[in-house]
Amino acid sequence: MLLYAPAIFFLLLTALGVRRDRRRFSNAVYLGLALTFLAFALLATLGRTDSVLAETVVIAVVLAPALGVLVLSGLLIANGFKMLRKEGRRLGNLLSLLCGLGILVVVALLIAATQADSPVLVVIARTTFLLASYFSFLFLCFIGYAYLYGRLIPRQDVDYVVVLGSGLIGGTRVPPLLASRLERGRALYERQAANGRPPLLITSGGQGPDEKLPESHAMAAYLTERGFPADRIVLEDRSRTTEENLRFSRELMTAANPDYRCIVVTNNFHAFRAAILARQESVNGQVAGSPTAAYFWPSATIREFVAVTVTHKWINLTVCGLLTLVSVTG
């Protein structure tokens, strides 16, 4: 039973964290640690049994990550080239390609360290492996919990549906990415309106330097052209970033109703980070995600993870420093 104590402990922390506020990144880490300790406990239990099946399972679990890393690298590289073809040559579109190549570099470095008689190379390879393992663990925590978070849509009525803006095509037209958010926001509005208590819908987005009108105005026009009641739309047209989207929308909601409840709508790859930011901006509501093209998801998710990692930079820098110290002195 002691083998499973760490897993139970972190599962309890996860449950308490979700009950307190499901928008915390620490919940993702606690859940990842719980599943990791549970996997080790199950492997240890299997290792104690003298059977061919147990040995086969243990060998498969050990070998699966090595094969999975190579498969993942290939998929990321293929996705990177697809992103370049469909979305253009921008740094944000290179993320999946760079990650796939980075995995191959780490594997090559580890192989070289085992073949070369160089203590320096061994230390470099060991340090690189530890740091890569740490960020891989955090990334798995991020995408795993983000998946679960996206399925925990609150069932209570809300006073507002807030749709976050994004860039416009040609400075005036709503792109498919933003249209997906608007359609999800409309669906949430209609679901509640059917029960006799329609919320207000806030379109949130200011005017960028290359845009001819504020995003919120284009979003409102998109909705009204498709039959959405104009008197149920509130415009927030000052924001330039996600943080400002949330902050200025909160100000509008609080001014009208200090006890408001809301639900924020963005794309599914952005939902968990938006939820983290909503908590930081004291927004009283959860975040719902809208569908995104499958090819766009890997690079977008990596970008969101990087942003969350930077938000917690001091913790991550401290852990990286300790891992480097352990590697160098080990």
Side-chain angles (χ1 to χ4, degrees), residues 187-312:
L188 292 169
Y189 168 89
E190 291 176 346
R191 186 181 70 181
Q192 185 172 317
N195 296 327
R197 190 170 178 268
L200 290 170
L201 189 147
I202 297 179
T203 54
S204 178
Q207 184 173 349
D210 59 344
E211 294 174 336
K212 299 177 182 178
L213 75 164
E215 294 164 7
S216 58
H217 292 207
M219 295 160 69
Y222 174 94
L223 289 169
T224 55
E225 287 168 4
R226 289 159 179 78
F228 194 92
D231 62 338
R232 303 308 296 173
I233 298 177
V234 177
L235 303 177
E236 183 289 295
D237 56 8
R238 296 186 294 152
S239 55
R240 297 290 187 88
T241 64
T242 300
E243 290 91 334
E244 290 184 351
N245 285 141
L246 296 164
R247 185 182 311 137
F248 297 153
S249 295
R250 184 203 69 215
E251 291 175 359
L252 289 173
M253 293 184 287
T254 303
N257 177 9
D259 298 321
Y260 77 90
R261 291 180 57 86
C262 74
I263 187 163
V264 179
V265 180
T266 185
N267 291 96
N268 52 14
F269 64 82
H270 186 230
F272 185 37
R273 186 169 79 89
I276 294 172
L277 293 174
R279 176 178 172 272
Q280 293 173 357
E281 295 294 336
S282 301
V283 174
N284 184 23
Q286 302 295 334
V287 181
S290 65
T292 307
Y295 77 87
F296 194 83
W297 186 87
S299 285
T301 302
I302 293 169
R303 184 171 64 246
E304 296 298 306
F305 171 70
V306 171
V308 171
T309 302
V310 171
T311 301
H312 300 86

Side-chain angles (χ1 to χ4, degrees), residues 68-108:
V69 162
L70 295 177
V71 172
L72 176 62
S73 176
L75 292 175
L76 287 172
I77 291 172
N79 176 259
F81 283 117
K82 189 169 186 178
M83 280 291 294
L84 291 176
R85 288 199 308 271
K86 287 182 171 289
E87 301 293 331
R89 297 182 181 181
R90 297 195 303 272
L91 179 60
N93 298 332
L94 289 170
L95 290 177
S96 57
L97 176 61
L98 293 175
C99 283
L101 294 174
I103 291 172
L104 292 181
V105 169
V106 173
V107 171

